[in-house]
Short mmCIF file of all heavy atoms in Angstrom, two decimals:
data_model
loop_
_atom_site.label_atom_id
_atom_site.label_comp_id
_atom_site.label_asym_id
_atom_site.label_seq_id
_atom_site.Cartn_x
_atom_site.Cartn_y
_atom_site.Cartn_z
N THR A 1 0.65 9.54 -3.54
CA THR A 1 0.43 10.17 -2.29
C THR A 1 1.06 11.52 -2.28
O THR A 1 2.01 11.81 -2.99
CB THR A 1 0.94 9.34 -1.12
OG1 THR A 1 2.35 9.23 -1.23
CG2 THR A 1 0.36 7.95 -1.06
N ASP A 2 0.62 12.45 -1.34
CA ASP A 2 1.29 13.62 -1.19
C ASP A 2 2.29 13.50 -0.02
O ASP A 2 2.63 12.44 0.46
CB ASP A 2 0.26 14.83 -0.93
CG ASP A 2 -0.57 14.63 0.37
OD1 ASP A 2 -0.09 13.78 1.26
OD2 ASP A 2 -1.46 15.34 0.61
N GLU A 3 2.88 14.61 0.37
CA GLU A 3 3.92 14.68 1.46
C GLU A 3 3.46 14.07 2.72
O GLU A 3 4.23 13.62 3.53
CB GLU A 3 4.62 16.02 1.58
CG GLU A 3 3.75 17.10 2.06
CD GLU A 3 2.80 17.71 1.07
OE1 GLU A 3 2.96 17.44 -0.11
OE2 GLU A 3 1.95 18.51 1.46
N LYS A 4 2.10 14.14 2.99
CA LYS A 4 1.58 13.57 4.25
C LYS A 4 1.03 12.16 4.18
O LYS A 4 0.50 11.66 5.05
CB LYS A 4 0.48 14.54 4.77
CG LYS A 4 0.98 15.89 5.16
CD LYS A 4 -0.06 16.75 5.59
CE LYS A 4 0.41 18.17 6.00
NZ LYS A 4 -0.77 19.04 6.48
N GLY A 5 1.12 11.62 2.93
CA GLY A 5 0.58 10.24 2.72
C GLY A 5 -0.83 10.21 2.32
O GLY A 5 -1.33 9.09 2.09
N SER A 6 -1.52 11.32 2.05
CA SER A 6 -2.86 11.38 1.58
C SER A 6 -2.92 11.01 0.19
O SER A 6 -1.99 11.41 -0.61
CB SER A 6 -3.45 12.75 1.83
OG SER A 6 -3.50 13.07 3.15
N PHE A 7 -3.94 10.35 -0.28
CA PHE A 7 -4.12 10.11 -1.65
C PHE A 7 -5.58 10.09 -2.04
O PHE A 7 -6.46 10.08 -1.26
CB PHE A 7 -3.55 8.56 -1.97
CG PHE A 7 -4.29 7.49 -1.24
CD1 PHE A 7 -5.40 6.88 -1.84
CD2 PHE A 7 -3.94 7.16 0.03
CE1 PHE A 7 -6.04 5.80 -1.21
CE2 PHE A 7 -4.61 6.09 0.64
CZ PHE A 7 -5.72 5.50 0.05
N ARG A 8 -5.74 10.24 -3.34
CA ARG A 8 -7.13 10.27 -4.00
C ARG A 8 -7.12 9.51 -5.24
O ARG A 8 -6.25 9.76 -6.11
CB ARG A 8 -7.50 11.84 -4.14
CG ARG A 8 -8.87 11.97 -4.83
CD ARG A 8 -9.15 13.43 -4.98
NE ARG A 8 -10.37 13.57 -5.85
CZ ARG A 8 -11.59 13.55 -5.28
NH1 ARG A 8 -11.77 13.38 -4.08
NH2 ARG A 8 -12.64 13.71 -6.11
N ILE A 9 -8.11 8.71 -5.43
CA ILE A 9 -8.24 7.93 -6.70
C ILE A 9 -9.54 8.48 -7.26
O ILE A 9 -10.57 8.35 -6.71
CB ILE A 9 -8.39 6.42 -6.38
CG1 ILE A 9 -7.20 5.93 -5.69
CG2 ILE A 9 -8.58 5.69 -7.75
CD1 ILE A 9 -7.22 4.58 -5.20
N GLY A 10 -9.45 9.08 -8.47
CA GLY A 10 -10.58 9.74 -9.00
C GLY A 10 -11.24 9.06 -10.19
O GLY A 10 -10.62 8.11 -10.74
N ASP A 11 -12.33 9.55 -10.52
CA ASP A 11 -13.14 9.08 -11.79
C ASP A 11 -13.40 7.58 -11.77
O ASP A 11 -13.29 6.85 -12.73
CB ASP A 11 -12.32 9.45 -13.02
CG ASP A 11 -12.29 10.94 -13.09
OD1 ASP A 11 -13.18 11.71 -12.74
OD2 ASP A 11 -11.14 11.40 -13.64
N LEU A 12 -13.84 7.06 -10.59
CA LEU A 12 -14.27 5.65 -10.50
C LEU A 12 -15.75 5.53 -10.68
O LEU A 12 -16.55 6.34 -10.10
CB LEU A 12 -13.86 5.04 -9.09
CG LEU A 12 -12.37 4.84 -8.93
CD1 LEU A 12 -12.15 4.38 -7.43
CD2 LEU A 12 -11.73 3.88 -9.83
N PRO A 13 -16.14 4.56 -11.45
CA PRO A 13 -17.62 4.41 -11.52
C PRO A 13 -18.23 3.83 -10.18
O PRO A 13 -17.38 3.30 -9.44
CB PRO A 13 -17.82 3.36 -12.66
CG PRO A 13 -16.46 2.70 -12.79
CD PRO A 13 -15.47 3.66 -12.29
N GLN A 14 -19.51 3.94 -10.02
CA GLN A 14 -20.11 3.50 -8.82
C GLN A 14 -19.91 2.00 -8.72
O GLN A 14 -19.78 1.29 -9.67
CB GLN A 14 -21.61 3.86 -8.68
CG GLN A 14 -22.50 3.30 -9.72
CD GLN A 14 -23.94 3.75 -9.62
OE1 GLN A 14 -24.18 4.61 -8.74
NE2 GLN A 14 -24.74 3.21 -10.41
N GLY A 15 -19.84 1.47 -7.48
CA GLY A 15 -19.62 0.10 -7.34
C GLY A 15 -18.94 -0.19 -5.94
O GLY A 15 -18.80 0.73 -5.21
N THR A 16 -18.63 -1.43 -5.77
CA THR A 16 -17.95 -1.88 -4.52
C THR A 16 -16.53 -2.22 -4.83
O THR A 16 -16.20 -2.88 -5.87
CB THR A 16 -18.69 -3.13 -3.91
OG1 THR A 16 -20.04 -2.75 -3.71
CG2 THR A 16 -18.03 -3.50 -2.62
N TYR A 17 -15.59 -1.69 -4.04
CA TYR A 17 -14.19 -1.82 -4.34
C TYR A 17 -13.43 -2.37 -3.16
O TYR A 17 -13.84 -2.31 -1.95
CB TYR A 17 -13.51 -0.41 -4.64
CG TYR A 17 -14.09 0.16 -5.89
CD1 TYR A 17 -15.24 0.95 -5.96
CD2 TYR A 17 -13.43 -0.10 -7.11
CE1 TYR A 17 -15.71 1.48 -7.17
CE2 TYR A 17 -13.90 0.41 -8.34
CZ TYR A 17 -15.01 1.15 -8.28
OH TYR A 17 -15.50 1.66 -9.49
N THR A 18 -12.24 -2.95 -3.45
CA THR A 18 -11.34 -3.43 -2.45
C THR A 18 -9.96 -2.73 -2.87
O THR A 18 -9.62 -2.72 -3.97
CB THR A 18 -11.12 -4.91 -2.55
OG1 THR A 18 -12.44 -5.54 -2.24
CG2 THR A 18 -10.04 -5.43 -1.61
N ILE A 19 -9.30 -2.21 -1.83
CA ILE A 19 -7.97 -1.64 -2.12
C ILE A 19 -6.87 -2.42 -1.21
O ILE A 19 -7.25 -2.93 -0.19
CB ILE A 19 -7.92 -0.13 -1.73
CG1 ILE A 19 -8.23 0.14 -0.28
CG2 ILE A 19 -8.83 0.66 -2.63
CD1 ILE A 19 -7.96 1.58 0.14
N GLN A 20 -5.68 -2.50 -1.74
CA GLN A 20 -4.60 -3.04 -1.09
C GLN A 20 -3.52 -2.02 -0.93
O GLN A 20 -3.17 -1.39 -1.97
CB GLN A 20 -4.07 -4.31 -1.77
CG GLN A 20 -3.04 -4.96 -0.96
CD GLN A 20 -2.49 -6.18 -1.66
OE1 GLN A 20 -2.49 -6.31 -2.85
NE2 GLN A 20 -2.17 -7.20 -0.84
N ILE A 21 -3.08 -1.83 0.25
CA ILE A 21 -1.99 -0.81 0.50
C ILE A 21 -0.74 -1.56 0.98
O ILE A 21 -0.79 -2.43 1.81
CB ILE A 21 -2.40 0.19 1.64
CG1 ILE A 21 -3.72 0.96 1.24
CG2 ILE A 21 -1.35 1.15 2.02
CD1 ILE A 21 -4.82 0.67 2.07
N SER A 22 0.39 -1.22 0.37
CA SER A 22 1.66 -1.85 0.74
C SER A 22 2.77 -0.83 0.71
O SER A 22 2.73 0.17 -0.01
CB SER A 22 1.99 -3.05 -0.21
OG SER A 22 2.05 -2.63 -1.52
N PHE A 23 3.79 -1.12 1.53
CA PHE A 23 4.96 -0.30 1.58
C PHE A 23 6.08 -1.13 2.15
O PHE A 23 5.88 -1.89 2.98
CB PHE A 23 4.73 0.93 2.56
CG PHE A 23 5.72 2.06 2.44
CD1 PHE A 23 5.84 2.81 1.32
CD2 PHE A 23 6.64 2.17 3.44
CE1 PHE A 23 6.82 3.85 1.32
CE2 PHE A 23 7.65 3.19 3.43
CZ PHE A 23 7.66 4.03 2.29
N ILE A 24 7.27 -0.90 1.64
CA ILE A 24 8.42 -1.67 2.02
C ILE A 24 8.64 -1.53 3.53
O ILE A 24 8.63 -0.40 4.08
CB ILE A 24 9.71 -1.32 1.24
CG1 ILE A 24 9.49 -1.64 -0.23
CG2 ILE A 24 10.95 -1.95 1.82
CD1 ILE A 24 10.63 -1.06 -1.10
N GLY A 25 8.83 -2.66 4.19
CA GLY A 25 9.00 -2.68 5.66
C GLY A 25 7.77 -2.76 6.49
O GLY A 25 7.80 -2.70 7.69
N PHE A 26 6.66 -2.81 5.81
CA PHE A 26 5.35 -2.86 6.55
C PHE A 26 4.54 -4.03 5.94
O PHE A 26 4.62 -4.31 4.73
CB PHE A 26 4.58 -1.52 6.42
CG PHE A 26 5.31 -0.44 7.13
CD1 PHE A 26 6.22 0.26 6.49
CD2 PHE A 26 4.88 -0.09 8.41
CE1 PHE A 26 6.91 1.35 7.17
CE2 PHE A 26 5.48 0.94 9.08
CZ PHE A 26 6.43 1.69 8.44
N ALA A 27 3.65 -4.56 6.75
CA ALA A 27 2.71 -5.59 6.32
C ALA A 27 1.66 -4.93 5.38
O ALA A 27 1.15 -3.85 5.68
CB ALA A 27 2.04 -6.27 7.49
N SER A 28 1.26 -5.68 4.30
CA SER A 28 0.24 -5.15 3.43
C SER A 28 -1.10 -5.12 4.18
O SER A 28 -1.29 -6.01 5.03
CB SER A 28 0.16 -6.02 2.17
OG SER A 28 1.25 -5.85 1.40
N LYS A 29 -2.07 -4.27 3.72
CA LYS A 29 -3.37 -4.22 4.30
C LYS A 29 -4.41 -4.14 3.20
O LYS A 29 -4.16 -3.46 2.23
CB LYS A 29 -3.46 -3.01 5.16
CG LYS A 29 -4.82 -2.92 5.96
CD LYS A 29 -4.77 -1.75 6.96
CE LYS A 29 -5.89 -2.12 7.97
NZ LYS A 29 -5.61 -1.49 9.24
N GLU A 30 -5.48 -4.96 3.25
CA GLU A 30 -6.49 -4.94 2.32
C GLU A 30 -7.81 -4.49 2.99
O GLU A 30 -8.11 -4.93 4.08
CB GLU A 30 -6.77 -6.38 1.80
CG GLU A 30 -7.63 -6.35 0.61
CD GLU A 30 -7.75 -7.79 0.02
OE1 GLU A 30 -6.84 -8.17 -0.69
OE2 GLU A 30 -8.59 -8.52 0.32
N ILE A 31 -8.43 -3.52 2.30
CA ILE A 31 -9.76 -2.98 2.79
C ILE A 31 -10.79 -3.23 1.70
O ILE A 31 -10.58 -2.84 0.60
CB ILE A 31 -9.58 -1.47 3.16
CG1 ILE A 31 -8.45 -1.20 4.13
CG2 ILE A 31 -10.92 -0.97 3.66
CD1 ILE A 31 -8.14 0.24 4.30
N SER A 32 -11.76 -4.01 2.13
CA SER A 32 -12.88 -4.35 1.12
C SER A 32 -14.15 -3.85 1.57
O SER A 32 -14.33 -3.25 2.66
CB SER A 32 -12.95 -5.90 0.97
OG SER A 32 -13.17 -6.46 2.21
N GLY A 33 -15.08 -3.79 0.63
CA GLY A 33 -16.48 -3.30 0.91
C GLY A 33 -16.52 -1.74 0.89
O GLY A 33 -17.42 -1.14 1.53
N LEU A 34 -15.65 -1.10 0.07
CA LEU A 34 -15.81 0.23 -0.13
C LEU A 34 -16.77 0.65 -1.29
O LEU A 34 -16.58 0.19 -2.36
CB LEU A 34 -14.47 0.89 -0.45
CG LEU A 34 -13.28 0.57 0.55
CD1 LEU A 34 -11.95 1.04 0.01
CD2 LEU A 34 -13.59 1.27 1.88
N VAL A 35 -17.90 1.18 -0.86
CA VAL A 35 -18.95 1.40 -1.81
C VAL A 35 -19.13 2.84 -2.23
O VAL A 35 -19.19 3.73 -1.40
CB VAL A 35 -20.36 0.89 -1.15
CG1 VAL A 35 -21.51 1.09 -2.09
CG2 VAL A 35 -20.15 -0.62 -0.63
N LEU A 36 -19.16 3.00 -3.53
CA LEU A 36 -19.36 4.35 -4.13
C LEU A 36 -20.81 4.37 -4.80
O LEU A 36 -21.05 3.43 -5.61
CB LEU A 36 -18.26 4.68 -5.18
CG LEU A 36 -16.92 4.74 -4.66
CD1 LEU A 36 -15.90 5.04 -5.78
CD2 LEU A 36 -16.75 5.74 -3.53
N THR A 37 -21.62 5.25 -4.53
CA THR A 37 -22.91 5.42 -5.11
C THR A 37 -23.17 6.79 -5.59
O THR A 37 -22.35 7.72 -5.21
CB THR A 37 -24.02 5.13 -4.03
OG1 THR A 37 -24.01 6.13 -3.06
CG2 THR A 37 -23.80 3.71 -3.37
N PRO A 38 -24.23 7.05 -6.39
CA PRO A 38 -24.52 8.43 -6.80
C PRO A 38 -24.61 9.42 -5.65
O PRO A 38 -24.37 10.56 -5.73
CB PRO A 38 -25.77 8.25 -7.64
CG PRO A 38 -25.78 6.91 -8.12
CD PRO A 38 -25.12 6.13 -7.00
N LEU A 39 -25.30 8.90 -4.57
CA LEU A 39 -25.43 9.80 -3.34
C LEU A 39 -24.19 9.94 -2.56
O LEU A 39 -24.08 10.82 -1.70
CB LEU A 39 -26.59 9.25 -2.52
CG LEU A 39 -28.03 9.14 -3.15
CD1 LEU A 39 -28.91 8.55 -2.21
CD2 LEU A 39 -28.35 10.67 -3.48
N ARG A 40 -23.25 9.00 -2.70
CA ARG A 40 -22.04 8.94 -1.93
C ARG A 40 -20.85 8.68 -2.96
O ARG A 40 -20.22 7.56 -2.89
CB ARG A 40 -22.01 7.93 -0.87
CG ARG A 40 -21.01 8.03 0.11
CD ARG A 40 -21.36 7.13 1.40
NE ARG A 40 -20.10 6.88 2.10
CZ ARG A 40 -19.87 5.86 2.81
NH1 ARG A 40 -20.92 4.97 3.07
NH2 ARG A 40 -18.81 5.66 3.51
N PRO A 41 -20.47 9.61 -3.79
CA PRO A 41 -19.49 9.37 -4.83
C PRO A 41 -17.99 9.51 -4.28
O PRO A 41 -17.04 9.04 -4.91
CB PRO A 41 -19.70 10.50 -5.82
CG PRO A 41 -20.31 11.59 -5.05
CD PRO A 41 -21.15 10.90 -3.96
N ASP A 42 -17.87 10.04 -3.06
CA ASP A 42 -16.56 10.08 -2.44
C ASP A 42 -16.53 9.38 -1.11
O ASP A 42 -17.55 9.21 -0.41
CB ASP A 42 -16.22 11.60 -2.16
CG ASP A 42 -16.09 12.44 -3.38
OD1 ASP A 42 -15.46 11.93 -4.34
OD2 ASP A 42 -16.60 13.54 -3.42
N LEU A 43 -15.36 8.86 -0.71
CA LEU A 43 -15.27 8.14 0.52
C LEU A 43 -13.99 8.68 1.29
O LEU A 43 -12.98 8.69 0.75
CB LEU A 43 -15.14 6.65 0.25
CG LEU A 43 -14.88 5.77 1.42
CD1 LEU A 43 -16.12 5.82 2.31
CD2 LEU A 43 -14.63 4.39 1.02
N GLU A 44 -14.20 9.12 2.52
CA GLU A 44 -13.12 9.51 3.37
C GLU A 44 -12.88 8.45 4.36
O GLU A 44 -13.73 8.07 5.22
CB GLU A 44 -13.52 10.88 4.08
CG GLU A 44 -12.51 11.28 5.09
CD GLU A 44 -11.24 11.80 4.54
OE1 GLU A 44 -11.34 12.43 3.39
OE2 GLU A 44 -10.17 11.70 5.18
N TYR A 45 -11.85 7.63 4.23
CA TYR A 45 -11.58 6.56 5.07
C TYR A 45 -10.81 6.94 6.39
O TYR A 45 -10.85 6.23 7.30
CB TYR A 45 -10.77 5.40 4.31
CG TYR A 45 -10.86 4.08 5.10
CD1 TYR A 45 -11.92 3.29 4.95
CD2 TYR A 45 -9.87 3.66 5.83
CE1 TYR A 45 -12.05 2.04 5.59
CE2 TYR A 45 -9.85 2.47 6.53
CZ TYR A 45 -11.01 1.68 6.46
OH TYR A 45 -11.04 0.46 7.11
N GLY A 46 -10.16 8.00 6.35
CA GLY A 46 -9.38 8.41 7.49
C GLY A 46 -7.92 7.82 7.46
O GLY A 46 -7.46 7.48 6.41
N ASN A 47 -7.40 7.71 8.63
CA ASN A 47 -6.05 7.21 8.78
C ASN A 47 -5.99 5.64 8.53
O ASN A 47 -6.87 5.00 9.12
CB ASN A 47 -5.35 7.51 10.08
CG ASN A 47 -5.06 8.95 10.20
OD1 ASN A 47 -4.85 9.66 9.26
ND2 ASN A 47 -5.12 9.46 11.47
N ILE A 48 -5.04 5.14 7.76
CA ILE A 48 -4.85 3.79 7.47
C ILE A 48 -3.52 3.40 8.15
O ILE A 48 -2.49 3.97 7.65
CB ILE A 48 -4.94 3.43 6.04
CG1 ILE A 48 -6.36 3.80 5.50
CG2 ILE A 48 -4.72 1.89 5.91
CD1 ILE A 48 -6.44 3.64 3.95
N LEU A 49 -3.50 2.59 9.21
CA LEU A 49 -2.26 2.27 9.84
C LEU A 49 -1.70 0.98 9.35
O LEU A 49 -2.49 -0.04 9.19
CB LEU A 49 -2.44 2.14 11.37
CG LEU A 49 -3.03 3.44 12.01
CD1 LEU A 49 -3.32 3.27 13.46
CD2 LEU A 49 -2.04 4.63 11.81
N LEU A 50 -0.48 0.94 8.99
CA LEU A 50 0.21 -0.35 8.63
C LEU A 50 1.14 -0.78 9.78
O LEU A 50 1.75 0.01 10.46
CB LEU A 50 1.06 -0.06 7.36
CG LEU A 50 0.29 0.35 6.17
CD1 LEU A 50 1.19 0.52 5.01
CD2 LEU A 50 -0.79 -0.62 5.63
N ARG A 51 1.13 -2.16 9.94
CA ARG A 51 2.07 -2.68 10.93
C ARG A 51 3.42 -2.95 10.44
O ARG A 51 3.57 -3.44 9.33
CB ARG A 51 1.34 -4.03 11.39
CG ARG A 51 2.12 -4.82 12.43
CD ARG A 51 1.37 -6.09 12.81
NE ARG A 51 0.94 -6.85 11.68
CZ ARG A 51 1.58 -7.74 11.03
NH1 ARG A 51 2.83 -8.05 11.35
NH2 ARG A 51 1.09 -8.47 10.00
N GLN A 52 4.49 -2.56 11.22
CA GLN A 52 5.87 -2.77 10.78
C GLN A 52 6.05 -4.32 10.63
O GLN A 52 5.59 -5.03 11.43
CB GLN A 52 6.79 -2.20 11.84
CG GLN A 52 7.03 -0.68 11.61
CD GLN A 52 8.16 -0.21 12.42
OE1 GLN A 52 8.39 -0.67 13.53
NE2 GLN A 52 8.90 0.72 11.91
N GLU A 53 6.81 -4.58 9.65
CA GLU A 53 7.12 -6.02 9.41
C GLU A 53 8.54 -6.21 8.83
O GLU A 53 8.82 -5.48 7.81
CB GLU A 53 6.12 -6.63 8.49
CG GLU A 53 6.36 -8.09 8.13
CD GLU A 53 5.26 -8.65 7.20
OE1 GLU A 53 5.29 -8.36 6.01
OE2 GLU A 53 4.41 -9.31 7.72
N SER A 54 9.33 -7.04 9.41
CA SER A 54 10.67 -7.24 8.85
C SER A 54 10.84 -8.69 8.41
O SER A 54 10.16 -9.59 9.10
CB SER A 54 11.76 -6.82 9.78
OG SER A 54 11.68 -7.57 10.94
N LYS A 55 11.48 -8.99 7.40
CA LYS A 55 11.68 -10.37 6.87
C LYS A 55 13.22 -10.55 6.95
O LYS A 55 13.92 -9.76 6.35
CB LYS A 55 11.13 -10.53 5.53
CG LYS A 55 9.60 -10.47 5.51
CD LYS A 55 8.99 -10.78 4.18
CE LYS A 55 7.46 -10.69 4.30
NZ LYS A 55 6.90 -11.09 3.03
N LEU A 56 13.59 -11.70 7.43
CA LEU A 56 14.94 -12.06 7.48
C LEU A 56 15.28 -12.91 6.25
O LEU A 56 14.52 -13.70 5.90
CB LEU A 56 15.31 -12.82 8.74
CG LEU A 56 15.15 -12.16 10.04
CD1 LEU A 56 15.41 -13.09 11.29
CD2 LEU A 56 16.07 -10.97 10.19
N LEU A 57 16.43 -12.62 5.58
CA LEU A 57 16.87 -13.36 4.42
C LEU A 57 17.54 -14.63 4.93
O LEU A 57 18.28 -14.58 6.03
CB LEU A 57 17.75 -12.54 3.58
CG LEU A 57 17.13 -11.22 3.01
CD1 LEU A 57 18.19 -10.41 2.30
CD2 LEU A 57 16.00 -11.54 2.09
N ASP A 58 17.45 -15.71 4.25
CA ASP A 58 18.22 -16.88 4.67
C ASP A 58 19.68 -16.71 4.56
O ASP A 58 20.44 -16.99 5.43
CB ASP A 58 17.77 -18.07 3.78
CG ASP A 58 16.32 -18.56 4.09
OD1 ASP A 58 15.94 -18.36 5.16
OD2 ASP A 58 15.69 -19.04 3.19
N GLU A 59 20.13 -16.10 3.50
CA GLU A 59 21.56 -16.02 3.22
C GLU A 59 21.76 -14.89 2.26
O GLU A 59 21.04 -14.74 1.31
CB GLU A 59 22.12 -17.22 2.66
CG GLU A 59 23.58 -17.19 2.37
CD GLU A 59 24.06 -18.53 1.80
OE1 GLU A 59 23.48 -19.63 2.16
OE2 GLU A 59 25.04 -18.58 1.13
N VAL A 60 22.81 -14.04 2.42
CA VAL A 60 23.28 -13.08 1.53
C VAL A 60 24.67 -13.34 1.16
O VAL A 60 25.53 -13.55 2.13
CB VAL A 60 23.07 -11.65 2.06
CG1 VAL A 60 23.72 -10.61 1.03
CG2 VAL A 60 21.70 -11.35 2.33
N LYS A 61 24.96 -13.59 -0.13
CA LYS A 61 26.40 -13.89 -0.49
C LYS A 61 26.89 -12.85 -1.45
O LYS A 61 26.33 -12.48 -2.36
CB LYS A 61 26.30 -15.29 -1.23
CG LYS A 61 27.68 -15.88 -1.49
CD LYS A 61 27.43 -17.21 -2.22
CE LYS A 61 28.51 -18.24 -1.81
NZ LYS A 61 28.32 -19.46 -2.48
N VAL A 62 28.11 -12.30 -1.05
CA VAL A 62 28.70 -11.26 -1.79
C VAL A 62 30.00 -11.84 -2.41
O VAL A 62 30.76 -12.36 -1.67
CB VAL A 62 29.07 -10.05 -0.91
CG1 VAL A 62 29.75 -8.92 -1.83
CG2 VAL A 62 27.73 -9.48 -0.33
N VAL A 63 30.17 -11.80 -3.77
CA VAL A 63 31.14 -12.46 -4.42
C VAL A 63 31.98 -11.28 -5.21
O VAL A 63 31.42 -10.50 -5.83
CB VAL A 63 30.83 -13.55 -5.30
CG1 VAL A 63 31.96 -14.19 -6.09
CG2 VAL A 63 29.97 -14.65 -4.51
N GLY A 64 33.27 -11.35 -5.14
CA GLY A 64 34.12 -10.44 -5.92
C GLY A 64 35.31 -11.09 -6.44
O GLY A 64 35.75 -12.18 -5.91
N GLU A 65 35.98 -10.57 -7.39
CA GLU A 65 37.13 -11.07 -8.03
C GLU A 65 38.23 -9.92 -8.15
O GLU A 65 37.84 -8.81 -8.44
CB GLU A 65 36.86 -11.65 -9.35
CG GLU A 65 36.01 -12.89 -9.40
CD GLU A 65 35.81 -13.41 -10.78
OE1 GLU A 65 36.50 -13.09 -11.64
OE2 GLU A 65 34.82 -14.21 -10.90
N ALA A 66 39.48 -10.25 -7.99
CA ALA A 66 40.49 -9.36 -8.04
C ALA A 66 40.76 -9.15 -9.55
O ALA A 66 40.60 -10.02 -10.39
CB ALA A 66 41.75 -9.85 -7.41
N ALA A 67 41.14 -7.93 -9.96
CA ALA A 67 41.44 -7.64 -11.34
C ALA A 67 42.69 -8.33 -11.78
O ALA A 67 43.65 -8.55 -11.03
CB ALA A 67 41.65 -6.12 -11.54
N LEU A 68 42.69 -8.87 -12.98
CA LEU A 68 43.82 -9.55 -13.59
C LEU A 68 44.82 -8.51 -14.09
O LEU A 68 44.40 -7.55 -14.77
CB LEU A 68 43.45 -10.51 -14.75
CG LEU A 68 42.45 -11.67 -14.34
CD1 LEU A 68 42.06 -12.43 -15.56
CD2 LEU A 68 43.21 -12.56 -13.33
N ILE A 69 46.15 -8.66 -13.79
CA ILE A 69 47.06 -7.76 -14.25
C ILE A 69 47.95 -8.37 -15.34
O ILE A 69 48.31 -9.43 -15.46
CB ILE A 69 48.04 -7.33 -13.15
CG1 ILE A 69 47.20 -6.65 -12.06
CG2 ILE A 69 49.15 -6.42 -13.65
CD1 ILE A 69 48.05 -6.27 -10.80
#
């Protein structure tokens, strides 16, 4: 992506595609049915919004030992 989050995937053969977008702290999103044809080789999808999502960990354990002298 660029600094604004825009992206381009180039040189794909014609066909039907599914993309999955993910980012830490957000729920993944899957978009299917994206069709590229000779008459429509590019697709502008616009803004793709991701929903914030946080996951709680069951337990975090930090263990340390004193140096032996």
Side-chain angles (χ1 to χ4, degrees):
T1 63
D2 66 13
E3 66 279 351
K4 294 181 181 179
S6 297
F7 63 93
R8 179 179 171 84
I9 303 170
D11 300 322
L12 292 175
Q14 66 183 5
T16 303
Y17 292 90
T18 299
I19 61 170
Q20 183 177 34
I21 298 116
S22 60
F23 191 74
I24 296 172
F26 292 86
S28 295
K29 184 169 200 154
E30 188 172 280
I31 303 169
S32 57
L34 303 173
V35 180
L36 300 178
T37 66
L39 295 177
R40 195 169 158 202
D42 295 317
L43 178 65
E44 173 74 31
Y45 196 81
N47 291 331
I48 300 170
L49 302 177
L50 299 179
R51 180 177 45 85
Q52 279 191 323
E53 177 180 77
S54 60
K55 294 186 179 183
L56 297 177
L57 302 174
D58 290 331
E59 179 179 333
V60 175
K61 191 177 213 180
V62 179
V63 178
E65 292 182 16
L68 297 175
I69 299 177

